Amino acid sequence: MTRRTFDITRRQVLLGAGGASLALPILPSLLGKTAFGAEPAFTRAPRLFWLTTDHGGAFESNMFPARSLADKTAALFPDHMASYGTLQATAMAGDNVLSAVLRASASKLTPALIAKMNVLWGFDVPFYISHNTGLHLGNYARNDGNGGDGVAVQSSPRPTIDQILAFSSTFYPDTTNIRERAMVMSTRPISWNYSDLASKSGTIESVRGIEGSRELFDRVFGTQMAQGPARPPIVDRVLESYQRLRNGNQRLSTADKQRLDDHMARIAELQRKLTTKVSCTNLQKATADSLDSRGNSAAEAAKYCQLFNDVVVAAFTCGASRIGVFGLGDTSHFVAYGGDWHQEIAHQWQLPTPQQTLVDSYQKVFEFSLLDLASKLDIEEVPGTTYLDNSLLSWTQECGMETHGSISIPTVTFGGAAGYFKTGQLVDYRRFNNPASAYDPGAGGMQYMGLLYSQWLATVLQAMGLPPAEFERWGHKGYGVPFITLEGWTPHFAQHYGDTSSRYFTGASDRLPIITA
């Protein structure tokens, strides 16, 4: 596609991986000829993007920056001190390096972006969750049932936080311009919601992920390209039949009534999307597709991620969506590994060669996916504030240092969520050097437990504007399943966390200290 030139500043141009200008947002400060000395009246609505990757297994010494950076302390409890400090990169061979994983070209990982970044250490899931895709966003029930713990939590499925936000009138008080409530990009189940979207009831079902960037573009911007007569309202065409069947047929079972309600709620949401117009100018249809770019090379894997990122940036800057979830899956494509990644790399995490392979793949995910998106969003939204400043980008892995272990789930973020988070910090929430909180996985050094991962999810929901009353369930705090291990061979969790009435569980809806403004 030929690159087009517009009468705008360079900072306003969003260039896609294929060289195409995807979209130009409406910029309040440019709507008139008046030069604004301060930010014009503007509502900062935070946005959320979540990158998920399978496995884990990177030694904490490879994943996290040097603990010596955390030179300040804060008391979480009288006997539990957290540590924190300013992120500082080391220059090495043209890169800025925070850790073996968190490194990139100095031209990309700039001091300005590091100042908008957080690395969070010490979020745990206090039971053996094993293979899963549900941990990231709060549906712990989505695991393979490998062990008693996994089976026990399968009976407590929950919508994931992206869907809680997507159908919250607090987060989306007005959906007039929202084409896609939540952009779910994945070939595997990472997002779940109620079957009845309208009443937030029914069964918990997987939300189908969009597999290609061109499909995502069409979902978000499709009607902007379409020509022709307006569609007749879909809901109107079936509403009369629905009401007659739903309310007039005495033979209809309760389960079938729920199925009808679910169906109508989805049709209503489809109708809303089809009639929504996106406020963007000079929008050009994406031609390249990530489906053609998964490949078996680092360059192809990078392009795969960046094509999705381009559409996410266009959607965020145009106001067509405020939520994106990207389920990248395993990271073998970034190192062109042709063997059995799960058995030969992830399960051999403690050995030198597989460990280095994991680290190499995660470094490329960081540079070419998360950092790429952060860089593209770090353009001015209003004077003195960028789209990144008003967003939260989060990258989490399926497990911690020990493959299938759930101590210290690596959590890396960019953006302050419209001022909710302080940034530029390494924050270590672990109860460090206390024997009751220690666990030796047999390689990579001693681990220490910290705070519940469900408290991180609860803090994110509050950063997006939701009060705890809108997401708490079952009389418990935080977001997830209030559960602690049943497995006799994992006693370390009970030594640190006690039981579900302990201080860690009862405080799981509290905003995390240190990082919240």
Side-chain angles (χ1 to χ4, degrees):
M1 180 183 293
T2 303
R3 186 178 299 174
R4 297 175 61 183
T5 303
F6 304 96
D7 185 20
I8 54 176
T9 66
R10 291 179 63 191
R11 291 177 68 85
Q12 291 173 254
V13 179
L14 167 64
L15 292 181
S21 177
L22 289 181
L24 298 176
I26 292 178
L27 303 179
S29 60
L30 300 183
L31 293 179
K33 295 183 178 180
T34 303
F36 289 92
E39 180 179 323
F42 186 76
T43 300
R44 294 183 182 179
R47 310 171 189 89
L48 178 66
F49 177 87
W50 211 286
L51 170 66
T52 76
T53 51
D54 288 355
H55 306 304
F59 288 170
E60 291 184 337
S61 58
N62 286 328
M63 183 70 215
F64 295 96
R67 192 173 181 275
S68 59
L69 294 178
D71 55 1
K72 305 178 184 67
T73 60
L76 304 181
F77 303 101
D79 61 344
H80 187 160
M81 302 295 292
S83 303
Y84 66 101
T86 302
L87 287 172
Q88 296 177 351
T90 300
M92 186 182 301
D95 288 351
N96 277 337
V97 180
L98 294 167
S99 71
V101 170
L102 305 177
R103 67 178 292 172
S105 167
S107 64
K108 298 178 182 178
L109 187 59
T110 63
L113 279 177
I114 292 173
K116 298 184 180 186
M117 182 178 174
N118 281 326
V119 182
L120 308 177
W121 198 343
F123 294 144
D124 311 326
V125 174
F127 55 86
Y128 179 65
I129 193 170
S130 187
H131 296 280
N132 73 88
T133 57
L135 175 155
H136 303 280
L137 293 161
N139 183 24
Y140 295 173
R142 171 64 280 283
N143 68 78
D144 68 358
N146 183 7
D149 288 352
V151 171
V153 299
Q154 285 179 343
S155 62
S156 301
R158 298 196 67 176
T160 44
I161 65 168
D162 59 312
Q163 297 299 319
I164 290 288
L165 290 169
F167 288 87
S168 165
S169 59
T170 303
F171 183 79
Y172 278 135
D174 182 1
T175 58
T176 302
N177 296 314
I178 301 298
R179 276 297 305 276
E180 198 71 14
R181 291 177 183 265
M183 298 175 288
V184 180
M185 300 151 274
S186 182
T187 59
R188 55 202 287 104
I190 57 170
S191 180
W192 285 265
N193 205 355
Y194 294 110
S195 58
D196 188 335
L197 305 177
S199 66
K200 299 179 183 177
S201 63
T203 58
I204 303 299
E205 297 182 347
S206 175
V207 176
R208 186 187 77 83
I210 297 169
E211 298 187 10
S213 60
R214 187 181 298 158
E215 180 188 355
L216 177 64
F217 183 90
D218 290 342
R219 287 274 292 269
V220 177
F221 299 109
T223 59
Q224 301 299 105
M225 302 297 173
Q227 302 293 328
R231 298 172 180 264
I234 298 174
V235 174
D236 291 352
R237 292 159 64 182
V238 299
L239 184 58
E240 182 179 351
S241 296
Y242 157 75
Q243 290 176 332
R244 185 169 57 250
L245 180 60
R246 172 66 171 77
N247 301 321
N249 193 323
Q250 295 181 353
R251 294 178 56 193
L252 199 64
S253 68
T254 300
D256 282 344
K257 286 181 179 180
Q258 181 67 60
R259 291 188 185 96
L260 274 175
D261 291 344
D262 295 349
H263 182 66
M264 285 303 297
R266 294 181 186 282
I267 288 180
E269 176 62 13
L270 174 61
Q271 180 65 37
R272 187 198 63 78
K273 292 180 183 180
L274 293 174
T275 57
T276 296
K277 299 296 182 183
V278 179
S279 299
C280 263
T281 59
N282 296 293
L283 187 66
Q284 298 181 45
K285 186 174 179 64
T287 54
D289 191 355
S290 62
L291 287 176
D292 300 327
S293 303
R294 189 75 191 244
N296 284 317
S297 72
E300 284 294 293
K303 187 177 180 182
Y304 173 82
C305 295
Q306 290 163 4
L307 286 167
F308 273 119
N309 285 349
D310 291 338
V311 183
V312 170
V313 173
F316 279 7
T317 57
C318 290
S321 182
R322 288 170 47 206
I323 304 170
V325 177
F326 186 19
L328 185 55
D330 79 43
T331 54
S332 59
H333 300 284
F334 284 92
V335 289
Y337 185 80
D340 185 337
W341 181 268
H342 179 243
Q343 294 297 335
E344 297 172 359
I345 301 298
H347 270 249
Q348 305 301 321
W349 60 278
Q350 73 276 22
L351 301 179
T353 298
Q355 177 64 204
Q356 188 59 54
T357 302
L358 284 168
V359 168
D360 290 345
S361 72
Y362 293 148
Q363 184 279 321
K364 291 179 174 61
V365 169
F366 171 71
E367 181 170 4
F368 297 117
S369 185
L370 187 68
L371 179 60
D372 175 76
L373 180 59
S375 301
K376 288 173 177 174
L377 284 172
D378 200 32
I379 56 174
E380 196 169 72
E381 183 169 10
V382 294
T385 303
T386 70
Y387 287 94
L388 179 61
D389 296 331
N390 290 331
S391 303
L392 174 68
L393 317 184
S394 178
W395 171 30
T396 55
Q397 296 177 8
E398 179 186 357
C399 53
M401 177 174 75
E402 182 184 20
T403 293
H404 302 320
S406 51
I407 295 175
S408 284
I409 303 298
T411 305
V412 182
T413 73
F414 281 95
Y420 193 90
F421 290 114
K422 301 173 186 177
T423 57
Q425 299 184 97
L426 167 65
V427 184
D428 186 352
Y429 289 110
R430 297 176 301 163
R431 191 183 181 205
F432 194 69
N433 283 340
N434 190 308
S437 304
Y439 170 67
D440 185 356
M446 187 71 72
Q447 289 192 289
Y448 292 87
M449 282 159 278
L451 296 176
L452 294 170
Y453 184 80
S454 63
Q455 187 172 357
W456 164 238
L457 296 179
T459 298
V460 170
L461 286 166
Q462 291 173 84
M464 297 296 118
L466 271 63
E470 195 168 335
F471 60 77
E472 291 176 346
R473 297 291 185 275
W474 308 309
H476 293 275
K477 305 297 183 179
Y479 198 87
V481 179
F483 179 79
I484 196 161
T485 183
L486 299 172
E487 303 285 354
W489 49 270
T490 52
H492 46 279
F493 287 124
Q495 290 170 7
H496 174 77
Y497 283 106
D499 57 32
T500 56
S501 65
S502 75
R503 60 192 182 180
Y504 296 104
F505 285 89
T506 59
S509 289
D510 296 346
R511 299 191 325 162
L512 284 165
I514 304 172
I515 59 170
T516 49

